[in-house]
Amino acid sequence: MKWVLPVIGLGVLGAAGWASYVTVQLARDPDAVLSSTRVNAAYIPWAAGAPLPRTAEGPNAANTVILPVGATLPEREPVVSGLPGYGRMTYLLPRDTRVSAGDVVLQFASEIPENVNATLRISLNGTRRAEVLLPAGRDTREVRIPLQDQDLALNSTQVTFAITGVSTTGVCSINTGNALVSLLPGSTVQARSASAPQSAADQYRLAGARAGVRWAGVTGDDSRATTTVLAVSNALRQGLNVSVLGSDAAADPAFITTAQTIAALTETFDAATARTQAKWPLQITDPAAGAARSFTGTQSWRYSFSADDLPDRRVPARLDYGLTLGPLGIDGLAPLPQGSDGWMVSVMLNGHLLDSFAAAEGSLRRSATIPPTLTGAVNQLEVTVGRGFGAEGICNDGPTLVAELASDSVLVPGSTTITGIADQLGQMTGNTPQLLTDGVARLTPPEAQAAARMLADLPFAPATAQGTHAPSATISVLQTSALPAAAPASAWVYVNDARDQFVMRLDDPALRSKLDDHAVALLIAAPATTH
């Protein structure tokens, strides 16, 4: 018996603003099948252990089983826009159950203006496999591309998209028009195998590296609720994507299981959060990838770092960097004379200007001093280059410029130190924290998920029962409306959500107003001492 395993993909998208003129073509790949009919796909949510429905498709319908999957999350359905525009989706294939054949099935809707000629190019694992001419107006299509032997030898399939084309009415090269392609939830990889997936790891991968645990079954039971929150928290700590689900979740993952299965799954994965300890000086570019860019107008290189990323917690005191700046001229005119300072360069940290100057074509080395007070918990360094003049005329996008940030550009440490949030949490909780179970079942599913994320931030996972040693700290998960009005001076509140991340003393007068926009928090308290 053959099994057909639809696989959910992980989507990332991007767009570029430079012009690209191509010859639009119909699909050329003989393996690609195009359909211009509207897709009406049906989705059947699947829970672990549920019976596998059979399909009535194909010559061996009686012997073919499809493993249905739930609807994917919006971010797993890329919306590719622009001319050109780019996007990608990665489908994880099962590892324990080997795949013998398969098809990438892409269902997409397009919206193309009347004055734009556009083509959608599709590549699998870096090899172009199809080109689709996108008609003007709104259209819905399906492209089915068989996996080749070299694709089946991998544990994942990466699908990349590129929209290319040109406006037929734009006067300037920058006015290329626009195009929009939206991948639909029915997009999948149907991977055929001789047996159904049995392991939780395979089911997790087939669900697009997503899993969920129902919260409804723990209502009123603080112990079971705490077990669920800790299981999800430990999975998040290991880099797994696991969610606490309500009974009416609109976009459930295809793999819905128990806290016990999630705990077992977590043990099979290496910690994705483990990182090699950074060393000074800190490189701000990846030497293997290179940092040369072509652009019009301006180009910025950005490097983000947190206080917890800094070796020995010393803040950077200086940026040593190098740039190579290409020829600089105006379209239709001769380049600027050699040595003319036509380039403008600026360096900023967290919105503060560190360095700014005019430069000529060629290579240069500079150092920018960083005051210690500018480094905070989360930081962004930005190096920007561009021309220092405007190009006159109707089309003012200017020539294509080239510049490179040197691969040996580094942050150099000073003597001032900073305490990051991870360090503060480590100092507060110690290495044997205990999670109190009281009130955990009163949380809503989104609040339980938020609590799991915050518990995953702790340096050491808390236990629910006191061991042979007294706990180094006790932790309570509380709705912010239920925080006690008074507590020992050793009590702290930790919040980390989509809006903010902070640690504050419970007796801080500013805490209550700070918590107005936050629903759940961790209350961390050192144990009481006896004399």
Side-chain angles (χ1 to χ4, degrees), residues 3 5 46 52 67 94 96-97 193 195-200 202-203 206:
W3 299 76
L5 317 175
W46 171 65
L52 305 174
L67 184 64
D96 301 327
T97 302
S193 175
S195 60
Q198 300 297 325
S199 68
D202 270 358
Q203 294 173 37
L206 288 169

Side-chain angles (χ1 to χ4, degrees), residues 407-501:
S407 60
D408 58 352
S409 299
V410 294
L411 289 170
V412 179
S415 57
T416 304
T417 60
I418 187 172
T419 301
I421 288 181
D423 289 331
Q424 295 180 59
L425 292 174
Q427 294 168 7
M428 290 180 224
T429 60
N431 57 7
T432 58
Q434 180 182 355
L435 179 62
L436 304 181
T437 62
D438 294 347
V440 177
R442 289 195 293 269
L443 301 176
T444 66
E447 290 170 349
Q449 181 71 21
R453 284 196 300 267
M454 288 186 282
L455 290 169
D457 293 337
L458 303 181
F460 292 91
T464 56
Q466 183 173 329
T468 56
H469 301 283
S472 52
T474 57
I475 301 169
S476 300
V477 178
L478 298 173
Q479 294 167 324
T480 54
S481 59
L483 283 173
S490 58
W492 295 78
V493 174
Y494 174 53
V495 169
N496 184 11
D497 54 29
R499 184 163 295 176
D500 206 351
Q501 181 182 18

Side-chain angles (χ1 to χ4, degrees), residues 15-49:
W18 40 269
S20 176
Y21 295 90
V22 301
T23 302
V24 293
Q25 301 174 352
L26 291 170
R28 300 183 299 183
D29 193 328
D31 292 331
V33 179
L34 295 184
S35 170
S36 59
T37 59
R38 180 168 296 277
V39 177
N40 293 309
Y43 306 101
I44 306 173
W46 171 65

